[in-house]
Amino acid sequence: MEKDASKTERIEFAECWKTTWKTPYIMRLALSAGIGGFLFGYDTGVISGALLYIREDFPEVDRKTWLQETIVSMAVAGAIIGAAFGGWINDRFGRKLSILVADVLFFVGAIVMALSPAPWMIIVGRIFVGFGVGMASMTAPLYISEASPARIRGALVSTNGLLITGGQFLSYLINLAFTHAPGTWRWMLGVAGLPAVVQFFLMLSLPESPRWLYRQNKVEESRSILEKIYPADEVEDELTALRISVETEKADEHAIGDNLIQKVKGALSNVVVRRGLYAGVTVQVAQQFSGINTVMYYSPTIVQFAGFASNKTAMALSLITSGLNAIGSIASMTFVDRYGRRRMMIISMIGIITCLAALSIVFSQAASHSPKVDQFESMHFASNATCPSFVSAVNPASWNCLSCLKAECGFCANGVNEYSPGACLALTTDLKNSCRGQHRTWFKDGCPSRIGFLAVVLLGLYIISYSPGMGTVPWIVNSEIYPLRYRGIGGGMAAVSNWVSNLIVSETFLTLTKALGSSGTFLLFAAVCVIGLICIYWFVPETKGLQFEEVERMLKTGFKRKAFRKMSKGESEPA
């Protein structure tokens, strides 16, 4: 809350660096808290590569799609619980303690996964990591937001998004680095414990959020922190604004209550918070149903769907999408305080819908031009080697590679030209090794395709569309859309909606690809994104450059819906 907050529209990304260069303490707070975002991103990205090698170590995981989905999605299930309780812990015990608890959970989960002797223990470790992810996902941007001057708040909260994508990018590098190391996936998953330890000790030396301290009547502690953040002539103005805000909250306290259930009821009965939740929950749900975490959790698998069979090749190509995600986060930091939250999300969603629809077309064309199955070679490759479903098929001559994979068999590509007819064989390790021993490529997730590279290009364009807008902006919106007294509980409820949506998407993606095919699955995501775009247009106001109190007043009076223009405060909301 600043005296010159009305000028924020003219302040660009350079202002963030100018301010933090002059007051490095602000960046120290943001980066230290943002390590939680880094851990969030690392965990999201690392499982995509680790899963390929977990499947090799545990045959039951390779055979059972639901077990793969469970290993991936149990972190998300844990995050739902972590986000739910994280909101309450944030309000009751403070932002700092929430981050410290998240670090402990991250560390425990990483060690459990690295030492897992069986898939069930990996799942337990994923749940612990999920607890930490859920708490960090809503606490880190909240802490950064409350420790940031208003004119650079969006850019600094975007550092959390940058660190999330940076964590994802590093996870792919780590995956590649340990490809040939003994233990492969154990190292990939265990490394996450190190940043958690680093953040734990960094946070011990940092203060609590000044806004939360003022709320707890620790005025002098709050003042001492604000003096490190704001110029001396602005500190008293900030304290005055905090005092007015807290006095208003305390006047309403008897109507709200102090426990979790009472706070939820109070939040839902308050028109300002309710409208804030419409916006906050909308952007979080839209973010997940855009399909981003299918790309991040299953990126190498999607690349294999496109016809790249090698684990290492699939991870290397996935690294490109992860790198573009990180670059997009930097773009978000550059433009979010210049062009606004709402505009960036709407443009982002239009790009996402276009790319998903194009991906659907590419996968459809790849499927229709899949290599045929060579009937003679399939029958004579080796003794008892033929795919059982192919043997009993009514019209085996019509089979192609995709038919073979749908029958849960493997396709041994032609040794001279992999786009020529190949053998449809039973899905066994011996036959896979025999196929590779003849210097042929073994396919079990996708088929050879001349246009498979287009899928990788479109995944890259999808990330470029997603990252600057829907990647980081929903977290910014949720860090500034709620009144102070409901900020923890509101952010927690929105984070829970994010993780529930994430759970639905990650737990069903592989099942959907089996039922609808890759083409149908991406077309479904495109259709859902159209609904998300409409909801963002209808429910989400522009909060660029506004003080928290101004956001609250705007939600109270309503806002006029315009796609690419800042909403006029005081305009009545249409019925």
Side-chain angles (χ1 to χ4, degrees):
M1 288 172 285
E2 308 226 337
K3 291 189 298 185
D4 59 346
S6 61
K7 300 179 182 177
T8 54
E9 290 182 28
R10 301 195 299 271
I11 298 177
E12 302 180 23
F13 181 59
E15 178 66 17
C16 176
W17 294 112
K18 179 181 177 182
T19 302
T20 53
W21 181 264
K22 187 184 298 183
T23 314
Y25 186 74
I26 298 172
M27 185 57 77
R28 180 186 168 194
L29 291 174
L31 291 178
S32 297
I35 294 176
F38 175 87
L39 287 165
F40 173 15
Y42 184 88
D43 176 75
T44 301
V46 74
I47 194 62
S48 63
L51 185 62
L52 300 179
Y53 294 95
I54 292 172
R55 287 164 58 182
E56 291 185 354
D57 278 8
F58 301 109
E60 66 268 37
V61 176
D62 192 40
R63 290 195 304 270
K64 299 173 181 176
T65 297
W66 68 266
L67 194 51
Q68 296 173 42
E69 290 174 328
T70 301
I71 288 173
V72 170
S73 62
M74 278 304 99
V76 182
I80 294 170
I81 299 172
F85 283 96
W88 176 75
I89 293 172
N90 265 289
D91 284 343
R92 187 65 181 269
F93 301 106
R95 293 36 165 159
K96 178 178 176 178
L97 182 64
S98 293
I99 293 174
L100 292 173
V101 171
D103 287 331
V104 172
L105 293 168
F106 269 123
F107 182 77
V108 171
I111 298 303
V112 169
M113 289 188 294
L115 300 177
S116 296
W120 68 265
M121 195 168 172
I122 299 175
I123 292 171
V124 171
R126 294 284 292 165
I127 291 172
F128 271 96
V129 166
F131 291 154
V133 165
M135 293 183 68
S137 70
M138 53 86 57
T139 304
L142 183 61
Y143 181 91
I144 295 169
S145 174
E146 294 183 344
S148 306
R151 65 178 178 272
I152 60 169
R153 189 173 64 228
L156 281 177
V157 174
S158 290
T159 62
N160 184 65
L162 175 62
L163 287 166
I164 290 174
T165 54
Q168 290 168 343
F169 183 74
L170 181 64
S171 73
Y172 283 91
L173 289 176
I174 294 291
N175 284 347
L176 282 172
F178 288 115
T179 297
H180 298 296
T184 52
W185 60 270
R186 298 183 186 277
W187 286 104
M188 295 173 184
L189 298 175
V191 165
L194 295 178
V197 173
V198 171
Q199 185 182 41
F200 184 87
F201 286 104
L202 281 175
M203 289 304 299
L204 287 177
S205 65
L206 292 176
E208 181 53 77
S209 156
R211 294 180 181 276
W212 186 85
L213 287 171
Y214 201 101
R215 170 71 185 157
Q216 305 303 311
N217 295 319
K218 298 179 180 180
V219 179
E220 291 307 313
E221 288 184 50
S222 179
R223 180 195 294 273
S224 67
I225 298 165
L226 293 174
E227 287 173 347
K228 297 178 181 178
I229 297 172
Y230 289 90
D233 61 336
E234 296 179 4
V235 172
E236 289 303 321
D237 291 333
E238 179 67 13
L239 282 169
T240 299
L242 280 175
R243 178 180 58 77
I244 294 170
S245 179
V246 169
E247 285 176 355
T248 302
E249 292 162 18
K250 289 187 175 179
D252 295 336
E253 192 99 276
H254 67 279
I256 300 171
D258 194 41
N259 63 48
L260 182 61
I261 296 175
Q262 288 176 322
K263 284 204 167 189
V264 171
K265 287 181 178 179
L268 295 177
S269 64
N270 184 303
V271 66
V272 173
V273 181
R274 196 163 61 245
R275 286 175 176 170
L277 284 169
Y278 291 159
V281 171
T282 290
V283 296
Q284 295 286 31
V285 172
Q287 182 191 65
Q288 291 305 318
F289 278 97
S290 69
I292 181 59
N293 279 318
T294 63
V295 175
M296 301 317 299
Y297 291 144
Y298 298 109
S299 185
T301 304
I302 294 171
V303 171
Q304 288 183 334
F305 288 164
F308 298 91
S310 164
N311 285 354
K312 190 169 183 179
T313 300
M315 286 195 295
L317 290 172
S318 298
L319 185 63
I320 297 171
T321 63
S322 183
L324 290 172
N325 201 16
I327 293 170
S329 295
I330 296 174
S332 177
M333 293 174 66
T334 305
F335 298 119
V336 71
D337 282 325
R338 182 176 184 180
Y339 296 111
R341 288 70 160 133
R342 178 182 169 89
R343 176 183 297 188
M344 290 188 68
M345 286 190 290
I346 289 175
I347 293 174
S348 179
M349 286 295 281
I350 292 170
I352 288 169
I353 292 166
T354 303
C355 291
L356 288 173
L359 271 169
S360 176
I361 294 170
V362 167
F363 277 112
S364 175
Q365 289 298 307
S368 63
H369 294 88
S370 176
K372 294 288 186 180
V373 170
D374 187 315
Q375 195 168 353
F376 179 82
E377 188 180 16
S378 298
M379 293 295 188
H380 298 88
F381 185 87
S383 177
N384 297 319
T386 311
C387 171
S389 298
F390 182 75
V391 173
S392 61
V394 175
N395 184 17
S398 67
W399 274 46
N400 61 16
C401 171
L402 189 62
S403 310
C404 180
L405 300 193
K406 283 183 176 180
E408 298 188 355
C409 294
F411 183 79
C412 184
N414 188 291
V416 178
N417 180 358
E418 65 178 21
Y419 306 116
S420 298
C424 183
L425 309 174
L427 193 59
T428 68
T429 302
D430 288 342
L431 288 174
K432 176 181 71 174
N433 292 337
S434 177
C435 175
R436 289 176 174 173
Q438 297 178 26
H439 303 290
R440 298 164 68 175
T441 305
W442 177 260
F443 292 88
K444 67 182 182 66
D445 293 308
C447 293
S449 173
R450 297 182 188 277
I451 60 172
F453 74 96
L454 286 176
V456 178
V457 171
L458 285 168
L459 280 176
L461 292 174
Y462 166 86
I463 292 294
I464 290 171
S465 299
Y466 168 87
S467 185
M470 292 306 297
T472 56
V473 177
W475 300 105
I476 298 172
V477 170
N478 274 281
S479 72
E480 59 192 13
I481 199 74
Y482 310 108
L484 176 59
R485 61 188 175 279
Y486 290 111
R487 196 159 297 147
I489 200 72
M493 292 169 73
V496 168
S497 71
N498 180 286
W499 290 110
V500 169
S501 304
N502 190 336
L503 177 62
I504 293 170
V505 170
S506 60
E507 183 65 35
T508 59
F509 177 69
L510 294 179
T511 301
L512 283 172
T513 57
K514 282 187 175 293
L516 304 177
S518 300
S519 175
T521 301
F522 283 109
L523 186 61
L524 177 62
F525 281 133
V528 173
C529 283
V530 171
I531 298 172
L533 175 60
I534 293 169
C535 291
I536 288 172
Y537 175 83
W538 192 257
F539 291 117
V540 184
E542 181 56 74
T543 58
K544 177 186 71 170
L546 298 179
Q547 299 175 12
F548 290 124
E549 290 75 16
E550 291 177 308
V551 173
E552 188 170 345
R553 286 196 298 271
M554 177 180 63
L555 291 173
K556 188 173 183 178
T557 59
F559 64 95
K560 187 174 181 180
R561 296 170 180 88
K562 296 288 183 181
F564 299 130
R565 182 171 62 84
K566 183 180 175 181
M567 308 310 156
S568 299
K569 291 174 287 178
E571 290 182 311
S572 297
E573 184 182 52

